[in-house]
Structure formats: structure tokens, C-alpha cells
Amino acid sequence: MFNKKIITGLLAVAALYSSACKPKGADNAVSGDAASKTYVAPGKYDELYNFVSGGFSGQLSVYGLPSGRLLRVIPVFSVDPEKGWGYSEETKPMLNTSHGFVPWDDLHHVEMSMKDGVADGKWVFVNGNNTPRLARIDLKTFRTAEIIELPNSGGNHSSPFGTENSEYIVAGTRFSVPEDGSAGDVPIDTYKENFKGHISFVSIDKESGEMNLAFQLKTPGLNFDLARAGKGKSHGWFFFSCYNSEQANTLLEVNASQNDKDFIMAVNWKKAEEYVKAGKGKKQAVKYAHNKYNEETHTGTSEIKNEVTVLDIAEFPDIVYFIPCPKSPHGCDVDPTGEYIVGSGKLAALLPVFSFDKIQKAIADQAFEQDKYSGIPVIKYEAALYGEVQKPGLGPLHTEFDADGNAYTSFFVSSEVVKWNIKDLKVLDRQPTYYSVGHLMVPGGNTKKPFGKYLVAYNKITKDRYLPTGPELSQSAQLYDISGEKMQLILDFPTIGEPHYAQAIPADLIKEKQLKIYDINANKHPYAAKGEGEAKVVREGNKVHVYLTAIRSHFAPDNIEGVQLGDEVYFHVTNLEQDWDVPHGFGVKGANNGELLIMPGETLTLKWVPDRTGIFPIYCTDFCSALHQEMSGYVRVSPKGSNTPLKFSLGNKAAAK
């Protein structure tokens, strides 16, 4: 029989959710000095860079705070015709996976690289929930530098979460699945026997940032939602929220809600690391892609790897412990001291706060439940509990912290952000969101030293907040001033959707470190033409390589003849500019591809296979000068077998090949 308490709770939640979604009116939006707090005068810079996940767009967006101005969209897992990401020959390898070329993913979460528990401004890591993948973005170029696929994983939602010094970026599977390389063709209803969860520990090189899959932990077939690394006193531990302790495989809204509690999973990753270094892990045959972008050759490469080291936690009882937590926890958040761990059961009307010291004592005293969970010790709830925040709101999801001992939790069902004190667990303030908030973000709120005076709520529903745009409305973010005792809503701004989580860092940390140009003399692209004298067209069988240069306001060459139907044409375009913010674009009429956007000193390649004979214009797609319209040319395509010679020209200069 289905638990009646669960049914009653679900019905109550549904009713509250329905009422919470009703528009509340713009008259409650902002008041007082809100405009002055968000105003950034023309020519002035924002205080913060805000890196916001793009959800199903597969992209990462960058906004200025407090203005809410969109500064850049960084393509990561999705092809992007604006920047040519996934269209140029150099970037196509970055979207390679063990499944082949996958031009999309579901980007949920963001994590800054850290030193001593504080963001250092080097890299930002993001997750691809679907395939699954992890990516690293270089904050000197605001470009994706590396993508690694994760084997043994059915969904990379519980990531990317970093340790105190970015020793590891850690990822937990959302969907437990049969292990790679095993007999994957098994009945779905054998879930409990054949489906396993995996936690991936990806090591980060301190200098280059290069990612490598160091090892995985094999777990029971749970679903992992979110996680946080310990810090300070709890450095060396990781804490994961997990649900579906029933290990159900169908109608999860019912069958994964049978038990009164799910778990926080506490992982002693330092101990696991010791076991791996001692050779205790088992090598497993898998298949996953590791893609890197080289900024000297301006070229991405993809390597398929075939092995991973796995520790089965059932064989190492001193590295993992379960802590009961209210049903279906979403957030699992660690305060700046590393002492308090907050669990957020989505259907709970309270917030449990666990103590790291009490967890350690419980382990030492073996204060465990009588029954283990799949062979893993379960710490008694009261033995790990610091206390409970009573009646904080409905539908708690995610918590972040300020530097004054306060916590801020988002409540999806009651559509609000609630401020409470960590030590006495008292609610201090609550402010409505518009509407149904998911994640929230306090700058530095996940670190040892929060520095933000702002909080941003990322909402799931907007209703009446913006001009209507058909059946789907804009995605939403709302900015709150949290510098005083009471929170103050000071700005709404639309975002590229769907925003889940974000992190923000001070602009001064990285704005002077930005790469402005690529030194053309250091360009090691194999098809670079570093001056117009090196521009040429070369035939290699049915492949035609065009060494093309771009400079304000012409291409060299700009007239090309002798291409034949059936040829593969590779336009290798080098931007000769050595001035900041002077990219050139390149497009071909009728190309079954995108455009290129080439930065100063960079070389990129567009592959074109003409489908008919005729004259095809080529042109610069990015405005570059007063004579931008004149920056164009022509390619002549003749029938296959034609005796039209291969030749090219610029002005009165002509050459034949």
C-alpha cells in the first residue's frame, strides 16, 4: 500500500504549487533605491562577472552584475552559428563523443576553479547532463578549452563540483545504468540487480587545467542530484544528495516516494584516493572521448580512451556512509566553515542541518542504523544532526551562504527566498520570487569566503514579468540586495534558457587578464597564411585547399576559379589583424554549413562541398569597417572533369596552379 502520508503531502504540495504559479502583479516588483543600486553608467564596468548555465541551450552565458547586461554567450556543448562553434573543422572534434558527433547537451551547473577554497579566476567548469560530459572554459579567452565524456554514467547532473583546491572536479550520475562493457541488454525490471551508480573523480592539472578521469566509485543504483565538497575542517570529504533509495525504475513520482527518507552520501575521497594509489582499484574497459583545444594551432583534437579505474564502495566500507535525509533531497550544501551540511528534501517542511563533527563522532562510535543500505553503513539521523530549521517554507531546493553566518535557501513551491541563521537555525527574513525559484546564487556563496552583497534567484516561471512572446516566455533571473538585514529585490532580467545554477566572481579578478589578440607570429595552424604573399589555392585530388587571408576590407584571394562539382573545398581563413576586437567573419552562398568567426591572428577552416555549378559569392559576415560591404569575392564552380584551370586573383594580381 502506498504511504498515505506521502499521498497527503504530494496533494498539499500540488495545491500550493498551483497557487504559487499565479501572477502576483508587477506592483510588488521593486521599490525605493533599487534603480540606483543596479545602475551602471555608460562606459562604466559591472562589479561582477556572472556565469549562468544555459540548461537545454547547451551554452554558458555571461552577465554583468548588478546591471544584468548580457556580455557573452559561450558555446560549449551546442553548435553555435554566431561563432562557428561546431561548424569549423577545428571545433568539430570538440563535440565528438563515443556516440559520434553530438551537437547538443543539457548544461545545468557551473563551478569556478579554486585555490584555498576561493575562486582563483582561471577556469570555469560546466556539466553536460545528457551525454554525459564535463567541460572546462578558459577565462583568458572565454572559450571552451576541453571536454571529457564520462563512462558508466546515465546522466551527469550531480556535477561539476570541485574540491578546495580544484584537485578534483566530481560528477555523480543522475540515472543509474548497467556498467559499460557489461551485458547492457538486460530487462529494465532487473534494476536492483543490474543497475549501478558511479561517481567520477576528474583530476585537474594545477598549471594547464587539463582534466583526466582519475577514478570512479561504484555505488548502489541511486540517483544523485547535487553535491558539495567539504572545506576547512571537512576538506577531504564530499557530500551528495541522492534519491530513489527504493531503486525503482518506473513511475518514480510514486515508486521513488515509498520511503520516508532518502540519503546524503558522505564520501571520504582522501581515503578513496589512497586506495587507488595503492592499486586497490579495478581496471575496467570502457569507451569515452577526451577533447582538447590547442590555442597555438587553433585546432581541437579528440581522443577515444578505453579504460577507467573503479572502486566498488561495497568492498571498502570506510570510504562511504549514508545519512538519512528528508525525502527527495535536491541541494546538499556546505557552509563556509565546512562544519554544517544542509540537506533540502523537496517535499519537506523543514531543513535538516548536519554537523561534520557529529558525523565523525558517529563514525568513530559506530552510531549506525541496525540495517545497512546495500551493505553500506547508515549513520543514525540524530547522531549526525545539528538541528532543524522549522517551517522555513515549502519545497526547499538549494542553499548558499554569506560571510556573516547566514544561509539563503530557495523554496520552489512557496516561491520565495528565505534567510536564516546557521547557528541558531532561526528564520530572519523571507522575500517572494516571481515565480517558482530553482537555484539561487550568492557570489562566493559556495566558498570559504563569500564576498557577495547580492543574491540572484533563477526562476522557472515568469508569467507577467516581461512582454509576452507567444507560448513560451523568457527565462528569468532576479537580483536581490542582501547587504542589509532585510533582502531587497532590485532587478529582473531575462536570461538565455534554461538557467539552473550560476557563479559570480569579481570583475577585477580576471578583466585585466583577457587575451586581446592571437600573436600571428605564434600561429602554428598547418594552413595559416601569415600574409597576403602566402595566400594561395592548392588542389590535392578532389580536395581544394584555399589559404585565405582577411584584413580590413578584403580577402586574398577574392576570385577563385577551377573548382569542380564533387570537390571538397577547405577555406583556411587567417585573420591578419593585430588589433583588439577586430574579428572577421566568413560565409559562402549556399554552404551546407555555418559561418566562421575568426579572431585577430587566428586561422579557422570552413569545409564546403558545392552542390551545383555556378558563381558563388563569399563575404565577411562580421562588420569590420566602413567598407565592410565591399569585403567579398567570388568562387566559380565548373562541371566535374572541366578543363577550367585552377586559378585565383586579388585585384590585378593573378596566379594559376
Side-chain angles (χ1 to χ4, degrees):
M1 178 66 67
F2 185 57
N3 190 316
K4 291 183 178 180
K5 289 191 293 183
I6 295 293
I7 292 178
T8 303
L10 287 170
L11 290 173
V13 166
L16 285 164
Y17 170 68
S18 176
S19 64
C21 291
K22 295 178 181 178
K24 299 180 183 179
D27 56 324
N28 294 325
V30 294
S31 61
D33 57 351
S36 65
K37 290 183 176 182
T38 62
Y39 180 68
V40 179
K44 298 296 183 182
Y45 292 151
D46 278 284
E47 298 172 40
L48 301 163
Y49 286 99
N50 185 28
F51 297 88
V52 183
S53 67
F56 45 67
S57 76
Q59 300 169 326
L60 180 68
S61 301
V62 187
Y63 297 83
L65 290 180
S67 73
R69 297 181 296 198
L70 177 64
L71 303 177
R72 187 167 183 80
V73 177
I74 303 172
V76 184
F77 302 115
S78 295
V79 294
D80 182 1
E82 178 192 359
K83 300 173 183 68
W85 182 257
Y87 292 99
S88 71
E89 294 304 293
E90 290 79 5
T91 58
K92 286 179 180 178
M94 297 299 290
L95 299 179
N96 188 43
T97 74
S98 63
H99 305 277
F101 181 81
V102 178
W104 170 83
D105 215 312
D106 189 12
L107 195 163
H108 277 222
H109 304 129
V110 181
E111 181 84 344
M112 309 304 299
S113 59
M114 291 192 290
K115 181 179 180 181
D116 298 328
V118 179
D120 60 13
K122 289 184 176 180
W123 310 294
V124 56
F125 300 92
V126 297
N127 71 325
N129 183 36
N130 182 62
T131 305
R133 291 172 276 187
L134 287 176
R136 174 175 60 89
I137 291 90
D138 189 332
L139 291 183
K140 287 185 179 179
T141 61
F142 277 53
R143 282 182 165 183
T144 302
E146 190 175 9
I147 296 176
I148 189 169
E149 188 181 1
L150 300 175
N152 287 323
S153 183
N156 177 30
H157 184 267
S158 184
S159 79
F161 301 108
T163 53
E164 199 169 80
N165 292 287
S166 294
E167 296 95 339
Y168 296 103
I169 296 295
V170 181
T173 186
R174 176 179 178 182
F175 310 110
S176 288
V177 291
E179 296 173 79
D180 289 1
S182 67
D185 182 20
V186 298
I188 297 174
D189 62 9
T190 64
Y191 185 106
K192 291 185 179 181
E193 294 78 27
N194 291 314
F195 288 53
K196 299 295 180 182
H198 282 79
I199 306 293
S200 301
F201 282 76
V202 177
S203 63
I204 308 300
D205 185 273
K206 293 184 181 299
E207 299 302 321
S208 67
E210 182 173 326
M211 302 188 293
N212 281 289
L213 181 53
F215 62 93
Q216 292 182 318
L217 301 181
K218 182 167 71 173
T219 76
L222 292 161
N223 296 30
F224 295 98
D225 203 334
L226 294 175
R228 282 290 182 217
K231 54 178 75 80
K233 63 165 60 180
S234 56
H235 177 62
W237 285 75
F238 234 104
F239 304 93
F240 295 83
S241 61
C242 40
Y243 61 105
N244 191 19
S245 56
E246 298 83 355
Q247 298 186 49
N249 59 273
T250 183
L251 195 61
L252 296 194
E253 65 175 324
V254 173
N255 293 321
S257 297
Q258 298 288 322
N259 299 336
D260 289 335
K261 286 183 169 62
D262 279 309
F263 299 114
I264 298 297
M265 188 174 80
V267 177
N268 185 339
W269 66 261
K270 281 285 190 181
K271 179 66 71 173
E273 185 183 56
E274 289 176 13
Y275 283 133
V276 171
K277 289 179 179 178
K280 301 293 186 180
K282 296 178 182 178
K283 302 293 185 182
Q284 180 185 342
V286 292
K287 185 179 180 181
Y288 66 97
H290 190 180
N291 311 328
K292 306 174 190 176
Y293 196 82
N294 186 315
E295 292 289 8
E296 293 183 335
T297 62
H298 309 298
T299 302
T301 57
S302 180
E303 177 186 5
I304 296 294
K305 295 190 173 182
N306 299 293
E307 189 177 75
V308 65
T309 299
V310 179
L311 289 176
D312 186 340
I313 66 170
E315 299 175 8
F316 302 93
D318 56 348
I319 60 175
V320 171
Y321 304 88
F322 287 115
I323 305 167
C325 185
K327 193 68 207 161
S328 298
H330 186 62
C332 178
D333 301 290
V334 180
D335 88 306
T337 70
E339 166 62 13
Y340 303 106
I341 302 101
V342 182
S344 298
K346 290 183 290 187
L347 303 181
L350 56 80
L351 280 173
V353 180
F354 301 102
S355 161
F356 179 73
D357 287 343
K358 293 188 72 174
I359 291 169
Q360 297 306 297
K361 186 176 187 303
I363 293 171
D365 295 344
Q366 296 193 339
F368 302 141
E369 300 282 358
Q370 184 175 357
D371 295 326
K372 294 184 176 182
Y373 179 80
S374 297
I376 310 302
V378 179
I379 297 173
K380 291 180 179 179
Y381 180 74
E382 294 78 9
L385 186 70
Y386 171 72
E388 297 173 336
V389 183
Q390 297 293 326
K391 299 180 180 180
L394 293 172
L397 288 186
H398 176 223
T399 299
E400 294 217 338
F401 307 90
D402 64 20
D404 300 317
N406 301 311
Y408 301 79
T409 301
S410 57
F411 289 84
F412 178 82
V413 176
S414 51
S415 289
E416 59 185 335
V417 174
V418 175
K419 176 182 178 180
W420 51 277
N421 183 267
I422 300 169
K423 289 293 180 66
D424 63 21
L425 306 179
K426 301 296 185 184
V427 172
L428 303 175
D429 187 27
R430 61 179 72 241
Q431 292 295 328
T433 60
Y434 304 91
Y435 307 92
S436 299
V437 58
H439 281 274
L440 54 76
M441 184 277 298
V442 174
N446 68 307
T447 73
K448 290 171 69 174
K449 297 180 180 179
F451 51 81
K453 61 183 180 184
Y454 303 112
L455 178 152
V456 185
Y458 296 96
N459 303 335
K460 301 303 182 185
I461 299 169
T462 56
K463 295 298 186 186
D464 55 356
R465 304 304 286 182
Y466 308 114
L467 287 171
T469 52
E472 185 186 20
L473 300 175
S474 174
Q475 307 295 320
S476 173
Q478 294 188 302
L479 180 68
Y480 294 78
D481 179 355
I482 60 171
S483 60
E485 290 186 9
K486 299 294 183 181
M487 298 177 283
Q488 180 189 11
L489 175 61
I490 57 177
L491 183 69
D492 281 16
F493 61 96
T495 66
I496 290 176
E498 176 197 2
H500 288 262
Y501 182 50
Q503 288 191 356
I505 56 175
D508 289 342
L509 185 62
I510 62 173
K511 69 182 177 68
E512 300 303 327
K513 300 176 182 178
Q514 301 299 293
L515 181 73
K516 296 184 176 180
I517 63 169
Y518 291 97
D519 181 357
I520 197 165
N521 296 312
N523 185 330
K524 296 181 180 179
H525 193 288
Y527 291 98
K530 298 181 182 180
E532 289 186 3
E534 298 180 17
K536 58 186 176 181
V537 181
V538 177
R539 176 179 288 281
E540 297 176 357
N542 73 327
K543 293 181 172 60
V544 176
H545 294 276
V546 181
Y547 295 70
L548 195 75
T549 63
I551 195 167
R552 288 167 287 186
S553 297
H554 63 269
F555 293 115
D558 62 5
N559 280 203
I560 301 168
E561 299 186 51
V563 173
Q564 298 183 13
L565 198 63
D567 284 343
E568 295 179 358
V569 184
Y570 295 85
F571 294 98
H572 309 289
V573 186
T574 301
N575 183 346
L576 299 180
E577 308 284 357
Q578 291 288 270
D579 190 8
W580 191 20
D581 196 29
V582 189
H584 286 295
F586 180 78
V588 183
K589 176 185 180 291
N592 187 14
N593 202 337
E595 59 139 15
L596 299 178
L597 189 63
I598 312 105
M599 298 301 116
E602 184 180 34
T603 302
L604 291 175
T605 302
L606 184 73
K607 180 183 178 181
W608 175 51
V609 181
D611 66 345
R612 66 196 70 179
T613 61
I615 304 298
F616 295 83
I618 58 175
Y619 71 104
C620 178
T621 58
D622 188 65
F623 187 88
C624 56
S625 71
L627 298 178
H628 166 71
Q629 291 292 91
E630 285 74 14
M631 191 168 177
S632 61
Y634 295 99
V635 179
R636 175 186 173 188
V637 178
S638 300
K640 186 175 181 62
S642 169
N643 58 6
T644 303
L646 187 65
K647 60 181 181 179
F648 53 93
S649 64
L650 175 65
N652 295 324
K653 299 178 181 179
K657 183 69 175 177

